[in-house]
Amino acid sequence: VQVAYLGGIRASGGRRQTGQLKVKTIVIEDLVDPASYPYVAAFYASQVTRAMGTAQANNIFRIYYNENSGHGTFAGVLRGKLATTTIGIGGILNQALLDLAAWVERGVAPPPSSRYNLDAMNQVVLPEKASERHGLQPLVHLTANGKIRADVGVNEPVNLAGSIEMPPGAGQVIQYDWYLGRSDFAYEPATKVSEPQPVVKATRTVSFPTAGEYTITLRTDAQRDGVADTASGTLLENLARVRVVVR
C-alpha cells in the first residue's frame, strides 16, 4: 500500500475514499508537490468515475492539475530564487472557489477537468497544448535558439521565443515578465498586454558579456475576465524556463 494513500486515509478520518460523491467537488493538485503526490489525485478521480460513471462524475466533479507549483497556495508572495522556478496557486484556488460557488448556487458549470495520462512510473503527464490540456492554468512554452538549452559564446545573440496560451474558457493573459539569470534573482518590469487575450507571443534577443550558465524564466499572469489588476486575488500563473550556457 502506498504511503501517500495511507496518508489520505488518515486525512479523511480513516474513511475509505470510494469516490461516491454527494456534493459538487473540485480537486486541485500540484505537479511538484512533495507532500501530496500528484498521482493520488488521479487515483481519486478514477474512484469517482468508477463509482459514478463518466457522465454523472462530470456533473459533480472536477480535477485541475498545475505545473511548477509545490505544496501550499501562496499568491504573490514568492521572492528570490524560488520565484524563478515556482509559481503560487493562490489565485487558481480562489478562482476554483468562485467557480464552485457558481456551480452550486447558479448551476454554472466550471471549465472542464485537466486531461492527463499516467506513465509507467505513475507520473502525471499533461498534454503540450492548452486546447487539449484544459484546466485553469495558462500554458507557457519557451525556447532559446529553438531549444530548451542554448550553447553560445560571450556576447553572442540568443533568440528567446515564448508562447502563452489559455485553456478554453479559462481566461485571458494580462501580462508577462522575464528573469534573465541575474544574481539577485530579480525579474524585469512586467510587460502589460494592451488587450488581454487567450494567446500571447513573447520574443526577444539577449546576450551575455560573461561566461557562465544562465537560467531564463518567462512568467505570466492571466485572469478569467481579462481584468488587468495585479492585486487581484484570482491571478492564474505559470512559467517556463530555459538554460543558456555561455563559453
Side-chain angles (χ1 to χ4, degrees), residues 17 80 102 125 204 212:
Q17 299 169 346
V125 180
R204 65 185 299 177

Side-chain angles (χ1 to χ4, degrees), residues 21 24-29 41-42 44-46 48-49 53-66 96 99-100 103 109-117 124-127 129-137 167-170 224:
L21 296 175
K24 289 180 170 61
T25 302
I26 293 178
V27 171
I28 294 177
E29 182 62 83
Y44 186 71
S46 70
V48 173
T49 301
T54 300
Q56 190 176 355
N58 190 56
N59 289 331
I60 200 172
F61 180 77
R62 292 289 189 275
I63 175 173
Y64 298 131
Y65 274 108
N66 302 297
D99 287 345
L100 183 60
W103 200 10
S113 292
S114 299
R115 292 179 180 171
Y116 56 89
N117 291 305
V124 175
V125 180
L126 302 179
K129 295 182 179 179
S131 60
E132 298 173 359
R133 180 179 298 191
H134 293 284
L136 303 181
Q137 189 182 41
R224 174 64 57 82

Side-chain angles (χ1 to χ4, degrees), residues 198-221:
V199 179
V200 169
K201 303 294 184 181
T203 61
R204 65 185 299 177
T205 300
V206 298
S207 62
F208 301 90
T210 306
E213 293 193 11
Y214 299 85
T215 298
I216 311 301
T217 304
L218 174 62
R219 181 175 62 178
T220 191
D221 289 311

Side-chain angles (χ1 to χ4, degrees), residues 28-33 36-38 64-67 69-73 89:
I28 294 177
E29 182 62 83
D30 304 323
L31 291 185
V32 291
D33 189 335
S36 176
Y37 301 154
Y64 298 131
Y65 274 108
N66 302 297
E67 296 179 310
S69 51
H71 197 66
T73 56
I89 65 156

